[in-house]
Amino acid sequence: KDGIYLKNIKNNKQFSLSAFETQPIDTMGAGDAVFGISSLLIKLAAPENVVAYLSNLFGALATSIVGHSSYIKEKEIEKTLIYNLK
C-alpha cells in the first residue's frame, strides 16, 4: 500500500516510488508479483529505478485480479507501459 523502496547495499543507492494503485481490488499475490519481477531484474543488473518502476507496475496490475482467478498478461503490461510512458 505504501509503494516500493529499494536499497542497493553494494553502492548504497536508494530508490522509492509511491504505490501506483490507490484503490486495489484484491492484494493477494501482489507481493509475489513484485518480488518475482524484481528478483529477475536485479539478477539482470537492471538500474534501481527500472526495478522499482516495473516491480511497482506488476504489483499494481496484480491488485486488479481477484484471488488467483487469472494472471498478469503480456498485453496488460504492454498497454500499461505505453500509457504510462506517453
Side-chain angles (χ1 to χ4, degrees), residues 17-72:
L17 286 173
S18 299
F20 289 166
E21 181 58 63
T22 57
Q23 296 179 333
I25 295 169
D26 188 354
T27 59
M28 182 190 302
D32 295 335
V34 169
F35 286 123
I37 192 66
S38 64
S39 64
L40 291 171
L41 293 168
I42 289 168
K43 178 66 176 167
L44 294 171
E48 290 85 359
N49 60 340
V50 172
V51 174
Y53 176 78
L54 290 176
S55 299
N56 224 9
L57 178 83
F58 273 67
L61 289 172
T63 64
S64 66
I65 300 168
V66 177
H68 295 294
S69 63
S70 189
Y71 57 93
I72 300 170

Short mmCIF file of all heavy atoms in Angstrom, two decimals, residues 17-72:
data_model
loop_
_atom_site.label_atom_id
_atom_site.label_comp_id
_atom_site.label_asym_id
_atom_site.label_seq_id
_atom_site.Cartn_x
_atom_site.Cartn_y
_atom_site.Cartn_z
N LEU A 17 9.24 4.59 -4.78
CA LEU A 17 8.09 5.08 -5.55
C LEU A 17 6.83 4.86 -4.74
O LEU A 17 6.70 3.85 -4.05
CB LEU A 17 7.95 4.31 -6.86
CG LEU A 17 8.92 4.58 -7.99
CD1 LEU A 17 8.71 3.58 -9.12
CD2 LEU A 17 8.74 5.98 -8.52
N SER A 18 5.91 5.76 -4.87
CA SER A 18 4.60 5.58 -4.24
C SER A 18 3.86 4.47 -4.97
O SER A 18 4.16 4.16 -6.13
CB SER A 18 3.78 6.86 -4.33
OG SER A 18 4.43 7.91 -3.67
N ALA A 19 2.88 3.90 -4.32
CA ALA A 19 2.08 2.84 -4.94
C ALA A 19 1.36 3.40 -6.16
O ALA A 19 0.88 4.53 -6.15
CB ALA A 19 1.08 2.29 -3.94
N PHE A 20 1.32 2.62 -7.23
CA PHE A 20 0.62 3.04 -8.45
C PHE A 20 -0.89 2.87 -8.33
O PHE A 20 -1.64 3.62 -8.92
CB PHE A 20 1.11 2.24 -9.66
CG PHE A 20 2.51 2.58 -10.10
CD1 PHE A 20 3.18 1.76 -10.98
CD2 PHE A 20 3.16 3.72 -9.66
CE1 PHE A 20 4.46 2.05 -11.42
CE2 PHE A 20 4.45 4.03 -10.07
CZ PHE A 20 5.10 3.19 -10.96
N GLU A 21 -1.32 1.86 -7.60
CA GLU A 21 -2.75 1.58 -7.45
C GLU A 21 -3.19 2.02 -6.06
O GLU A 21 -2.73 1.48 -5.06
CB GLU A 21 -3.03 0.09 -7.64
CG GLU A 21 -4.49 -0.28 -7.53
CD GLU A 21 -5.36 0.47 -8.53
OE1 GLU A 21 -5.19 0.29 -9.74
OE2 GLU A 21 -6.23 1.25 -8.06
N THR A 22 -4.07 3.01 -6.01
CA THR A 22 -4.52 3.53 -4.71
C THR A 22 -5.83 2.89 -4.25
O THR A 22 -6.22 3.06 -3.10
CB THR A 22 -4.69 5.06 -4.76
OG1 THR A 22 -5.61 5.39 -5.80
CG2 THR A 22 -3.35 5.73 -5.01
N GLN A 23 -6.51 2.18 -5.15
CA GLN A 23 -7.76 1.51 -4.79
C GLN A 23 -7.73 0.06 -5.28
O GLN A 23 -8.44 -0.31 -6.21
CB GLN A 23 -8.95 2.25 -5.37
CG GLN A 23 -9.10 3.65 -4.82
CD GLN A 23 -10.27 4.38 -5.43
OE1 GLN A 23 -10.68 4.12 -6.55
NE2 GLN A 23 -10.82 5.32 -4.68
N PRO A 24 -6.90 -0.78 -4.62
CA PRO A 24 -6.78 -2.17 -5.07
C PRO A 24 -8.06 -2.96 -4.85
O PRO A 24 -8.81 -2.71 -3.91
CB PRO A 24 -5.65 -2.72 -4.19
CG PRO A 24 -5.66 -1.86 -2.98
CD PRO A 24 -6.10 -0.50 -3.44
N ILE A 25 -8.31 -3.90 -5.75
CA ILE A 25 -9.47 -4.78 -5.61
C ILE A 25 -9.13 -5.94 -4.69
O ILE A 25 -9.89 -6.28 -3.80
CB ILE A 25 -9.91 -5.31 -7.00
CG1 ILE A 25 -10.39 -4.15 -7.86
CG2 ILE A 25 -10.98 -6.38 -6.88
CD1 ILE A 25 -10.60 -4.50 -9.31
N ASP A 26 -7.96 -6.55 -4.89
CA ASP A 26 -7.52 -7.68 -4.08
C ASP A 26 -5.99 -7.70 -4.08
O ASP A 26 -5.37 -7.73 -5.13
CB ASP A 26 -8.06 -8.99 -4.67
CG ASP A 26 -7.81 -10.20 -3.80
OD1 ASP A 26 -7.11 -10.06 -2.77
OD2 ASP A 26 -8.30 -11.28 -4.13
N THR A 27 -5.39 -7.65 -2.90
CA THR A 27 -3.93 -7.59 -2.81
C THR A 27 -3.27 -8.96 -2.77
O THR A 27 -2.04 -9.05 -2.76
CB THR A 27 -3.50 -6.78 -1.58
OG1 THR A 27 -4.03 -7.39 -0.40
CG2 THR A 27 -3.97 -5.34 -1.67
N MET A 28 -4.06 -10.03 -2.79
CA MET A 28 -3.49 -11.37 -2.77
C MET A 28 -2.60 -11.58 -4.00
O MET A 28 -3.04 -11.38 -5.13
CB MET A 28 -4.58 -12.45 -2.76
CG MET A 28 -4.00 -13.86 -2.68
SD MET A 28 -5.21 -15.17 -2.94
CE MET A 28 -6.41 -14.86 -1.69
N GLY A 29 -1.37 -11.93 -3.78
CA GLY A 29 -0.45 -12.19 -4.88
C GLY A 29 0.32 -10.98 -5.37
O GLY A 29 1.24 -11.12 -6.17
N ALA A 30 -0.04 -9.80 -4.91
CA ALA A 30 0.65 -8.59 -5.38
C ALA A 30 2.12 -8.60 -4.94
O ALA A 30 3.01 -8.28 -5.73
CB ALA A 30 -0.05 -7.33 -4.89
N GLY A 31 2.36 -8.98 -3.71
CA GLY A 31 3.74 -9.06 -3.23
C GLY A 31 4.55 -10.10 -3.99
O GLY A 31 5.72 -9.88 -4.30
N ASP A 32 3.91 -11.22 -4.31
CA ASP A 32 4.58 -12.25 -5.10
C ASP A 32 4.96 -11.72 -6.47
O ASP A 32 6.06 -12.01 -6.98
CB ASP A 32 3.69 -13.48 -5.26
CG ASP A 32 3.40 -14.19 -3.95
OD1 ASP A 32 4.21 -14.04 -3.02
OD2 ASP A 32 2.38 -14.88 -3.87
N ALA A 33 4.08 -10.94 -7.07
CA ALA A 33 4.36 -10.35 -8.38
C ALA A 33 5.53 -9.38 -8.29
O ALA A 33 6.42 -9.38 -9.14
CB ALA A 33 3.12 -9.64 -8.93
N VAL A 34 5.54 -8.57 -7.24
CA VAL A 34 6.62 -7.59 -7.04
C VAL A 34 7.96 -8.31 -6.85
O VAL A 34 8.94 -8.00 -7.51
CB VAL A 34 6.32 -6.68 -5.82
CG1 VAL A 34 7.55 -5.86 -5.44
CG2 VAL A 34 5.14 -5.77 -6.11
N PHE A 35 7.99 -9.28 -5.95
CA PHE A 35 9.25 -9.98 -5.68
C PHE A 35 9.69 -10.83 -6.87
O PHE A 35 10.89 -10.96 -7.14
CB PHE A 35 9.14 -10.84 -4.43
CG PHE A 35 9.15 -10.04 -3.16
CD1 PHE A 35 8.11 -10.13 -2.27
CD2 PHE A 35 10.19 -9.17 -2.88
CE1 PHE A 35 8.11 -9.38 -1.10
CE2 PHE A 35 10.21 -8.42 -1.72
CZ PHE A 35 9.16 -8.51 -0.83
N GLY A 36 8.75 -11.37 -7.60
CA GLY A 36 9.09 -12.18 -8.76
C GLY A 36 9.80 -11.38 -9.83
O GLY A 36 10.88 -11.77 -10.30
N ILE A 37 9.22 -10.25 -10.22
CA ILE A 37 9.83 -9.45 -11.28
C ILE A 37 11.07 -8.74 -10.78
O ILE A 37 12.07 -8.62 -11.50
CB ILE A 37 8.82 -8.46 -11.93
CG1 ILE A 37 9.38 -7.86 -13.22
CG2 ILE A 37 8.41 -7.37 -10.97
CD1 ILE A 37 9.58 -8.84 -14.33
N SER A 38 11.05 -8.28 -9.53
CA SER A 38 12.23 -7.56 -9.02
C SER A 38 13.44 -8.49 -8.92
O SER A 38 14.56 -8.08 -9.23
CB SER A 38 11.95 -6.90 -7.68
OG SER A 38 11.68 -7.85 -6.68
N SER A 39 13.24 -9.72 -8.52
CA SER A 39 14.38 -10.64 -8.42
C SER A 39 14.98 -10.92 -9.80
O SER A 39 16.21 -10.99 -9.94
CB SER A 39 13.97 -11.94 -7.73
OG SER A 39 13.00 -12.63 -8.48
N LEU A 40 14.14 -11.04 -10.81
CA LEU A 40 14.66 -11.24 -12.17
C LEU A 40 15.43 -10.02 -12.66
O LEU A 40 16.52 -10.14 -13.24
CB LEU A 40 13.51 -11.53 -13.13
CG LEU A 40 12.81 -12.87 -12.96
CD1 LEU A 40 11.56 -12.93 -13.84
CD2 LEU A 40 13.74 -14.01 -13.30
N LEU A 41 14.88 -8.84 -12.42
CA LEU A 41 15.53 -7.62 -12.87
C LEU A 41 16.84 -7.37 -12.13
O LEU A 41 17.82 -6.91 -12.73
CB LEU A 41 14.58 -6.43 -12.71
CG LEU A 41 13.36 -6.44 -13.62
CD1 LEU A 41 12.36 -5.38 -13.18
CD2 LEU A 41 13.76 -6.25 -15.07
N ILE A 42 16.87 -7.66 -10.85
CA ILE A 42 18.10 -7.50 -10.08
C ILE A 42 19.17 -8.46 -10.58
O ILE A 42 20.33 -8.10 -10.72
CB ILE A 42 17.82 -7.67 -8.57
CG1 ILE A 42 17.02 -6.45 -8.07
CG2 ILE A 42 19.12 -7.83 -7.78
CD1 ILE A 42 16.44 -6.62 -6.68
N LYS A 43 18.78 -9.69 -10.86
CA LYS A 43 19.72 -10.67 -11.41
C LYS A 43 20.29 -10.20 -12.75
O LYS A 43 21.46 -10.45 -13.06
CB LYS A 43 19.00 -12.03 -11.59
CG LYS A 43 19.85 -13.11 -12.18
CD LYS A 43 20.98 -13.52 -11.26
CE LYS A 43 21.76 -14.68 -11.87
NZ LYS A 43 23.01 -14.91 -11.19
N LEU A 44 19.48 -9.48 -13.53
CA LEU A 44 19.94 -8.93 -14.81
C LEU A 44 20.70 -7.61 -14.65
O LEU A 44 21.08 -6.99 -15.64
CB LEU A 44 18.75 -8.72 -15.75
CG LEU A 44 18.04 -9.99 -16.21
CD1 LEU A 44 16.75 -9.65 -16.95
CD2 LEU A 44 18.97 -10.82 -17.10
N ALA A 45 20.90 -7.17 -13.41
CA ALA A 45 21.60 -5.92 -13.08
C ALA A 45 20.92 -4.69 -13.66
O ALA A 45 21.57 -3.74 -14.09
CB ALA A 45 23.06 -6.00 -13.52
N ALA A 46 19.60 -4.70 -13.66
CA ALA A 46 18.84 -3.54 -14.12
C ALA A 46 19.03 -2.39 -13.13
O ALA A 46 19.22 -2.62 -11.93
CB ALA A 46 17.35 -3.89 -14.23
N PRO A 47 18.98 -1.15 -13.59
CA PRO A 47 19.10 0.00 -12.70
C PRO A 47 17.97 0.01 -11.65
O PRO A 47 16.87 -0.48 -11.91
CB PRO A 47 18.97 1.21 -13.62
CG PRO A 47 19.26 0.69 -14.99
CD PRO A 47 18.84 -0.74 -14.99
N GLU A 48 18.27 0.56 -10.49
CA GLU A 48 17.31 0.57 -9.38
C GLU A 48 15.98 1.20 -9.77
O GLU A 48 14.92 0.71 -9.39
CB GLU A 48 17.88 1.31 -8.16
CG GLU A 48 19.00 0.61 -7.45
CD GLU A 48 20.37 0.86 -8.06
OE1 GLU A 48 20.47 1.61 -9.07
OE2 GLU A 48 21.35 0.31 -7.54
N ASN A 49 16.02 2.29 -10.55
CA ASN A 49 14.77 2.96 -10.93
C ASN A 49 13.91 2.08 -11.84
O ASN A 49 12.69 2.10 -11.76
CB ASN A 49 15.03 4.33 -11.55
CG ASN A 49 15.88 4.27 -12.80
OD1 ASN A 49 16.60 3.30 -13.06
ND2 ASN A 49 15.83 5.33 -13.59
N VAL A 50 14.55 1.28 -12.69
CA VAL A 50 13.81 0.37 -13.57
C VAL A 50 13.20 -0.76 -12.75
O VAL A 50 12.05 -1.13 -12.94
CB VAL A 50 14.73 -0.18 -14.69
CG1 VAL A 50 14.04 -1.28 -15.49
CG2 VAL A 50 15.20 0.94 -15.59
N VAL A 51 13.98 -1.30 -11.82
CA VAL A 51 13.48 -2.37 -10.95
C VAL A 51 12.28 -1.87 -10.15
O VAL A 51 11.24 -2.53 -10.10
CB VAL A 51 14.58 -2.87 -9.98
CG1 VAL A 51 14.01 -3.88 -8.99
CG2 VAL A 51 15.75 -3.48 -10.74
N ALA A 52 12.40 -0.70 -9.57
CA ALA A 52 11.30 -0.14 -8.77
C ALA A 52 10.07 0.12 -9.63
O ALA A 52 8.95 -0.24 -9.24
CB ALA A 52 11.75 1.15 -8.09
N TYR A 53 10.25 0.72 -10.79
CA TYR A 53 9.12 1.06 -11.65
C TYR A 53 8.37 -0.19 -12.12
O TYR A 53 7.15 -0.29 -11.98
CB TYR A 53 9.59 1.88 -12.86
CG TYR A 53 8.48 2.17 -13.83
CD1 TYR A 53 7.55 3.18 -13.57
CD2 TYR A 53 8.32 1.41 -14.98
CE1 TYR A 53 6.52 3.43 -14.45
CE2 TYR A 53 7.28 1.66 -15.86
CZ TYR A 53 6.39 2.67 -15.59
OH TYR A 53 5.35 2.90 -16.45
N LEU A 54 9.11 -1.14 -12.68
CA LEU A 54 8.45 -2.35 -13.21
C LEU A 54 7.87 -3.21 -12.10
O LEU A 54 6.79 -3.78 -12.26
CB LEU A 54 9.42 -3.14 -14.08
CG LEU A 54 9.78 -2.50 -15.41
CD1 LEU A 54 10.82 -3.32 -16.14
CD2 LEU A 54 8.54 -2.30 -16.28
N SER A 55 8.55 -3.29 -10.98
CA SER A 55 8.02 -4.07 -9.86
C SER A 55 6.73 -3.45 -9.33
O SER A 55 5.76 -4.15 -9.04
CB SER A 55 9.06 -4.15 -8.74
OG SER A 55 10.22 -4.81 -9.19
N ASN A 56 6.73 -2.14 -9.22
CA ASN A 56 5.52 -1.43 -8.78
C ASN A 56 4.38 -1.62 -9.78
O ASN A 56 3.22 -1.80 -9.40
CB ASN A 56 5.84 0.06 -8.63
CG ASN A 56 5.28 0.68 -7.38
OD1 ASN A 56 4.76 0.00 -6.50
ND2 ASN A 56 5.38 1.98 -7.29
N LEU A 57 4.71 -1.59 -11.05
CA LEU A 57 3.72 -1.80 -12.11
C LEU A 57 3.11 -3.20 -12.00
O LEU A 57 1.89 -3.35 -12.06
CB LEU A 57 4.38 -1.62 -13.47
CG LEU A 57 3.48 -1.85 -14.67
CD1 LEU A 57 2.69 -0.59 -14.95
CD2 LEU A 57 4.30 -2.24 -15.87
N PHE A 58 3.94 -4.22 -11.84
CA PHE A 58 3.44 -5.59 -11.71
C PHE A 58 2.57 -5.73 -10.46
O PHE A 58 1.54 -6.39 -10.50
CB PHE A 58 4.60 -6.59 -11.67
CG PHE A 58 5.04 -7.04 -13.03
CD1 PHE A 58 5.65 -6.17 -13.90
CD2 PHE A 58 4.87 -8.35 -13.42
CE1 PHE A 58 6.07 -6.58 -15.16
CE2 PHE A 58 5.29 -8.79 -14.67
CZ PHE A 58 5.90 -7.90 -15.54
N GLY A 59 2.99 -5.11 -9.37
CA GLY A 59 2.19 -5.16 -8.14
C GLY A 59 0.83 -4.52 -8.33
O GLY A 59 -0.20 -5.04 -7.90
N ALA A 60 0.81 -3.37 -9.02
CA ALA A 60 -0.46 -2.68 -9.28
C ALA A 60 -1.37 -3.52 -10.16
O ALA A 60 -2.58 -3.64 -9.90
CB ALA A 60 -0.19 -1.33 -9.94
N LEU A 61 -0.82 -4.13 -11.20
CA LEU A 61 -1.63 -4.98 -12.08
C LEU A 61 -2.18 -6.18 -11.32
O LEU A 61 -3.32 -6.59 -11.54
CB LEU A 61 -0.81 -5.44 -13.28
CG LEU A 61 -0.48 -4.37 -14.33
CD1 LEU A 61 0.50 -4.90 -15.36
CD2 LEU A 61 -1.74 -3.86 -14.99
N ALA A 62 -1.38 -6.72 -10.42
CA ALA A 62 -1.83 -7.89 -9.64
C ALA A 62 -3.00 -7.55 -8.72
O ALA A 62 -3.84 -8.42 -8.44
CB ALA A 62 -0.67 -8.45 -8.82
N THR A 63 -3.11 -6.29 -8.29
CA THR A 63 -4.21 -5.93 -7.38
C THR A 63 -5.55 -5.84 -8.09
O THR A 63 -6.59 -5.72 -7.44
CB THR A 63 -3.94 -4.59 -6.66
OG1 THR A 63 -3.88 -3.54 -7.61
CG2 THR A 63 -2.68 -4.65 -5.82
N SER A 64 -5.55 -5.90 -9.41
CA SER A 64 -6.82 -5.88 -10.15
C SER A 64 -7.36 -7.29 -10.41
O SER A 64 -8.42 -7.45 -10.98
CB SER A 64 -6.65 -5.14 -11.47
OG SER A 64 -5.79 -5.85 -12.33
N ILE A 65 -6.63 -8.30 -9.97
CA ILE A 65 -7.02 -9.70 -10.17
C ILE A 65 -7.59 -10.23 -8.85
O ILE A 65 -6.92 -10.16 -7.82
CB ILE A 65 -5.82 -10.56 -10.61
CG1 ILE A 65 -5.27 -10.03 -11.94
CG2 ILE A 65 -6.22 -12.02 -10.73
CD1 ILE A 65 -3.92 -10.62 -12.33
N VAL A 66 -8.79 -10.74 -8.89
CA VAL A 66 -9.42 -11.28 -7.68
C VAL A 66 -8.88 -12.68 -7.41
O VAL A 66 -8.98 -13.57 -8.25
CB VAL A 66 -10.96 -11.32 -7.83
CG1 VAL A 66 -11.60 -11.96 -6.60
CG2 VAL A 66 -11.51 -9.92 -8.06
N GLY A 67 -8.27 -12.82 -6.22
CA GLY A 67 -7.71 -14.12 -5.84
C GLY A 67 -6.68 -14.57 -6.86
O GLY A 67 -5.84 -13.80 -7.31
N HIS A 68 -6.76 -15.84 -7.22
CA HIS A 68 -5.87 -16.39 -8.24
C HIS A 68 -6.69 -16.79 -9.47
O HIS A 68 -6.42 -17.79 -10.12
CB HIS A 68 -5.12 -17.61 -7.69
CG HIS A 68 -4.18 -17.25 -6.58
ND1 HIS A 68 -3.08 -16.47 -6.77
CD2 HIS A 68 -4.19 -17.56 -5.26
CE1 HIS A 68 -2.43 -16.32 -5.64
NE2 HIS A 68 -3.10 -16.97 -4.69
N SER A 69 -7.69 -15.96 -9.78
CA SER A 69 -8.59 -16.27 -10.89
C SER A 69 -7.94 -16.07 -12.26
O SER A 69 -8.44 -16.56 -13.26
CB SER A 69 -9.85 -15.40 -10.80
OG SER A 69 -9.51 -14.03 -10.91
N SER A 70 -6.84 -15.33 -12.30
CA SER A 70 -6.16 -15.05 -13.57
C SER A 70 -4.70 -14.75 -13.27
O SER A 70 -4.23 -14.98 -12.16
CB SER A 70 -6.84 -13.88 -14.27
OG SER A 70 -6.33 -13.72 -15.58
N TYR A 71 -4.01 -14.22 -14.23
CA TYR A 71 -2.61 -13.85 -14.07
C TYR A 71 -2.35 -12.58 -14.88
O TYR A 71 -3.17 -12.17 -15.69
CB TYR A 71 -1.69 -14.99 -14.54
CG TYR A 71 -1.92 -15.41 -15.98
CD1 TYR A 71 -1.18 -14.86 -17.01
CD2 TYR A 71 -2.89 -16.36 -16.29
CE1 TYR A 71 -1.40 -15.22 -18.32
CE2 TYR A 71 -3.11 -16.73 -17.61
CZ TYR A 71 -2.36 -16.16 -18.62
OH TYR A 71 -2.59 -16.53 -19.93
N ILE A 72 -1.20 -11.98 -14.65
CA ILE A 72 -0.84 -10.77 -15.38
C ILE A 72 -0.43 -11.18 -16.79
O ILE A 72 0.47 -11.99 -16.98
CB ILE A 72 0.32 -10.03 -14.68
CG1 ILE A 72 -0.09 -9.64 -13.26
CG2 ILE A 72 0.74 -8.80 -15.48
CD1 ILE A 72 1.06 -9.12 -12.41
#
